Amino acid sequence: MAELVFFSGTMDCGKSTLALQMNHNHGARGRVGLIFTKMDRAGTNVLSSRLGLSTGALEVRDDLDFWDAIVDRATAGTRIDYLICDEAQFYTCDQVEQLARIVDEMDVDVFAFGITADFRTELFPGSKRLIELADKVQVLQVEALCWCGRRATTNARVMDGLMVVEGEQVVVGDTNPGSSGLVEYEVLCRRHYMRRMTSHAARAAAVSPEVLPFDLDVCPVPPPLPITQAD
């Protein structure tokens, strides 16, 4: 029986690598699938991994109707056993519902991969709908690490070296300097996300440039309110 499975995690936890591996494994067993992605770091019509692996893919645009696209292929005689859907956090809610319909009515497996929350720690609409509809939600076991060595749980946006928590939800990272500055992303543990303490800020404040401090006054946690004794 076909399933809709959502593999989630932060950046650097191996989502795209797993997508490529799953496509290889299913193809090696004679299954036929299609690969979809959206706004991959390597450009359009490609699914790429930070390890350097990549393959061709179908680019998902906001006007793509997954149901119509798969039905058209099936009607033309194309066999489809599964779909690999990378960068699924960028899909629309309607597209996620179309994927669920493909699983239920066409018995096609859908394996979706994506980041759960954005740089503001708010759920992406596509990820939220996947969590609501998926048969399984699996958090990847390969842990991305914060600069301090702790498990990274959040994706921070850095513009011109400074962490920001406001702005458009979707901005392509690692871009060239322009009117909006250099945009990068970094994974952080919750503690250092809340302190707005990126690796750059930590290095700038470290006593030694070779050692990253674990406690800094650069972005301290606000002190607790004083406790007063009632009369």
Side-chain angles (χ1 to χ4, degrees), residues 7-200:
F7 297 91
S8 69
T10 63
M11 297 184 306
D12 298 335
C13 70
K15 297 181 301 299
S16 296
T17 301
L18 178 59
L20 291 164
Q21 183 66 55
M22 289 190 68
N23 181 62
H24 169 78
N25 290 352
H26 284 264
R29 294 296 176 264
R31 304 193 78 203
V32 180
L34 292 175
I35 300 176
F36 292 90
T37 191
K38 185 172 184 177
M39 293 190 289
D40 188 277
R41 68 184 69 84
T44 58
N45 298 304
V46 61
L47 188 163
S48 69
S49 165
R50 293 181 188 275
L51 296 182
L53 305 173
S54 64
T55 189
L58 299 171
E59 188 73 15
V60 176
R61 305 189 186 281
D62 288 346
D63 60 354
L64 172 67
D65 188 307
F66 278 105
W67 174 259
D68 288 345
I70 302 307
V71 167
D72 288 347
R73 284 172 169 78
T75 302
T78 301
R79 174 185 164 191
I80 302 175
D81 299 314
Y82 66 92
L83 303 180
I84 298 289
C85 298
D86 199 28
E87 305 293 353
Q89 72 271 11
F90 298 138
Y91 297 3
T92 67
C93 293
D94 286 343
Q95 288 172 332
V96 173
E97 293 176 9
Q98 293 157 13
L99 292 173
R101 184 183 179 190
I102 290 169
V103 173
D104 295 338
E105 300 189 27
M106 300 187 69
D107 201 33
V108 172
D109 284 309
V110 174
F111 306 113
F113 303 80
I115 296 171
T116 306
D118 64 14
F119 72 105
R120 301 166 299 186
T121 68
E122 297 178 5
L123 292 175
F124 283 99
S127 299
K128 179 177 182 293
R129 199 69 183 119
L130 277 164
I131 292 171
E132 293 166 344
L133 294 180
D135 297 294
K136 296 178 183 176
V137 177
Q138 297 189 6
V139 178
L140 270 65
Q141 297 303 305
V142 177
E143 295 183 351
L145 299 179
C146 177
W147 60 263
C148 69
R150 293 185 180 92
R151 175 176 176 266
T153 59
T154 57
N155 304 291
R157 178 181 293 173
V158 181
M159 296 186 65
D160 291 332
L162 299 177
M163 179 177 159
V164 296
V165 293
E166 296 181 348
E168 294 292 329
Q169 185 175 56
V170 179
V171 175
V172 178
D174 303 321
T175 59
N176 292 323
S179 59
S180 60
L182 178 65
V183 180
E184 301 172 299
Y185 289 91
E186 180 178 351
V187 290
L188 299 174
C189 65
R190 183 180 64 246
R191 181 186 186 210
H192 289 122
Y193 176 88
M194 298 299 288
R195 291 189 174 198
R196 312 293 188 257
M197 193 184 298
T198 65
S199 59
H200 177 78

